[in-house]
Amino acid sequence: MSDFILPDIGEGIVECELVKWLVSEGDVIEEDQPVAEVMTDKALVEIPAPYKGRVTKLYHQEGEIAKVHAPLFELVAEDEADAGSAGKESESKPAPAAAVAPEAASRATEPDGKLQGESAPAAGSGATEDFILPDIGEGIIECEVVEWRVAEGDEIEEDQPVVDVMTDKAMVEITAPKAGRVTRLYYQQQEIAKVHEPLFAFEPRDQAGGETTPAAAKPAPETAAGQAPKADRSQAAARGKGIPASPAVRRLVREHELNLADVPGSGKDGRVLKADILAHLDEGARTATAEEGTEAPARPAARRGGETPREVRVEPIRGVKAAMAKHMATAAATIPHFIYSEEIDVTDLLALRARLKPEAEQRGSRLTLMPFIMKAMALAVQEYPVLNSRLNEDASEIHYQPECNIGMAVDSKAGLIVPNIKGVERLTLLGIADEVARLTEAARSGRVSQEDLKGGTITISNIGALGGTYAAPIINAPEVAIVALGRTQALPRFDANGQVVQRSIMTVSWAGDHRIIDGGTIARFCNLWKGYLESPQTMLLQMG
């Protein structure tokens, strides 16, 4: 029997929402069978079973937040399940006293020689869990334990600060994942703790074997009129345990000394959102003002026709939109952007695409301008590889990427995501077209795989599909360049003989990381890319 630990499901992702269980407790599952669907801040991900066995416990309800590197469900391997069944049959028969092994002999020893569970009371104790130190910053693999806020044997509440650790960037406060009792601290102060390894062990309160808190065991003392007994307050606080809410919301509840059960939740399955807490506090403030006899502010004049005043609609920013907001704010604040705009005459490219389109359709491919644009970009990158590079964290090294993995920004229902096509320099136009169609459909349905979201080296944003000509796009860090394609327009231009002719003009806007890309470099790169698009037959000379 073992816990399935939720693995890394995306770069920088530390938690996800459990959308749907695909199995139930007691189900027998096969290796690689989908067990659950979880929603990260980037996409919907299926979690498969690591091996064949029987599901004995699901640690989260649908709609709850699951932590990366924490248990997701409990699984008994097939051979263990068979052994367990045999054990139950043998238990039904009386065993001689001499055959019963002493309790100490039945317990496994730990590497340091201590018996497992030695720090916990033997009678009535439940199973202990290890708290795995999560990712606490990009690239951070260890930290120093600065100060323990608790000691072994202490009772802890959910989200209570347990320990302060120091990374090479900042001091971080580690909080308890759930209420319970601390049974072991794996590190002393000033020792180095490793990310993804146990930090402390605790016994969850719901597994404490029927133990009661001192407040519940003692009769409530008499109190003054209007003051609730301590036991009543403890019971009121306990009412919020089963209510779905994020750690940030629970922290807000504690800061304002509220009971989560008293706040109506407007989220899925009654989830309490931050907006619900703020609305509850606002309502409480208005009630207190009325009770104190404070003069209420003048009411707005009645609207014509007896209309009732409309309320502001509050929508929390979550999932992909929240990740995009954070990512874009960081990129805009830390990368010095250099903007370069240009016009490209795509008249000949449109004519070539029109001639090739019927043949592509016969082969089941939808040929748009995007495969030509991507292929030309991959060819131009070979001459100017700095456009296909990355900077390390302290901007002291340029990492030239071996492949041109071109990302395309897709406006999905969940928000803006950027899947990328791997190795565009090796693909044919039809191969690129098929990948564009696959990723577009997957993005709009919210089912892009994590592999398709990783490893992008340069990005295209096709704003022209919706309208607009020029833009100032924000670089998709850690990449160093992005281009926004404007709409294609029929505009008058002079030909070689000085005559005004109609041409199809597409505008493009480049943004480059000015720490390593200067104006001359991006202009020369854009001219080469533009040459391939304006005379598409020249790409044949460079294709391998």
Side-chain angles (χ1 to χ4, degrees), residues 44 72 99 123-124 145 241 263 299 309 318 337 398-399 401 455 527:
L44 190 66
L72 185 65
V145 175
K241 286 184 179 178
V263 183
R299 297 178 61 186
R318 300 179 59 191
H337 283 59
I398 302 175
H399 295 184
Q401 302 304 301
N527 287 338

Side-chain angles (χ1 to χ4, degrees), residues 4 24 27 41 60 69 107 117 137-138 170 188 200 223 257 278 347 483 529 533 535:
F4 175 85
S24 302
D27 286 358
D41 53 11
H60 299 278
H69 306 143
R107 283 190 288 168
E138 187 175 358
Q188 300 295 323
F200 62 91
T223 56
E257 299 181 351
L278 297 178
T347 306
V483 64
W529 177 56
L533 295 178
S535 300

Side-chain angles (χ1 to χ4, degrees), residues 57-324:
K57 187 173 182 180
L58 306 178
Y59 287 113
H60 299 278
Q61 300 295 323
E62 293 180 358
E64 290 184 348
I65 301 299
K67 300 288 186 181
V68 171
H69 306 143
L72 185 65
F73 60 90
E74 188 178 65
L75 182 64
V76 178
E78 186 178 22
D79 52 353
E80 293 181 13
D82 295 340
S85 300
K88 288 183 179 179
E89 292 179 3
S90 63
E91 285 175 4
S92 62
K93 300 178 181 180
V100 180
E103 183 183 356
S106 66
R107 283 190 288 168
T109 59
E110 296 179 355
D112 58 2
K114 291 184 179 180
L115 294 175
Q116 292 178 351
E118 193 172 50
S119 59
S125 63
T128 60
E129 294 182 13
D130 281 339
F131 175 84
I132 306 299
L133 182 61
D135 287 312
I136 49 179
E138 187 175 358
I140 293 175
I141 60 174
E142 63 183 16
C143 60
E144 179 185 347
V145 175
V146 176
E147 181 183 3
W148 284 105
R149 305 281 194 90
V150 297
E152 292 182 359
D154 284 359
E155 294 287 333
I156 54 175
E157 300 296 329
E158 183 176 359
D159 291 333
Q160 176 183 334
V162 175
V163 61
D164 290 333
V165 299
M166 174 68 77
T167 72
D168 55 5
K169 295 180 180 179
M171 182 84 80
V172 179
E173 186 180 80
I174 304 296
T175 58
K178 60 181 76 172
R181 180 167 52 81
V182 177
T183 57
R184 184 174 181 183
L185 306 179
Y186 288 111
Y187 297 92
Q188 300 295 323
Q189 292 182 179
Q190 278 69 58
E191 287 186 344
I192 301 300
K194 299 289 186 181
V195 170
H196 304 156
E197 292 187 6
L199 185 63
F200 62 91
F202 68 101
E203 182 181 338
R205 186 167 295 164
D206 55 4
Q207 299 179 9
E211 294 180 0
T212 57
T213 62
K218 297 179 182 179
E222 295 182 1
T223 56
Q227 183 179 0
K230 289 185 178 179
D232 291 345
R233 287 201 300 269
S234 300
Q235 293 168 4
R239 294 203 311 269
K241 286 184 179 178
I243 299 174
S246 69
V249 169
R250 294 183 184 275
R251 188 175 295 111
L252 192 61
V253 168
R254 291 197 306 272
E255 289 174 355
H256 292 278
E257 299 181 351
L258 301 174
N259 287 325
L260 195 59
D262 296 335
V263 183
S266 62
K268 181 182 177 182
D269 299 327
R271 175 178 289 276
V272 178
L273 308 176
K274 181 179 180 181
D276 300 327
I277 302 296
L278 297 178
H280 184 78
L281 292 171
D282 186 50
E283 182 180 353
R286 289 198 302 267
T287 303
T289 301
E291 290 177 353
E292 293 172 4
T294 306
E295 183 177 353
R299 297 178 61 186
R303 300 193 176 197
R304 288 179 294 179
E307 292 183 10
T308 57
R310 297 182 181 180
E311 294 184 356
V312 175
R313 184 171 66 90
V314 178
E315 178 181 320
I317 302 176
R318 300 179 59 191
V320 175
K321 292 181 180 179
M324 181 185 70

Side-chain angles (χ1 to χ4, degrees), residues 502-519:
Q502 177 178 302
R503 306 294 290 181
S504 297
I505 304 298
M506 179 178 69
T507 54
V508 298
S509 301
W510 281 95
D513 188 335
H514 217 343
R515 292 174 294 181
I516 59 172
I517 300 175
D518 55 37

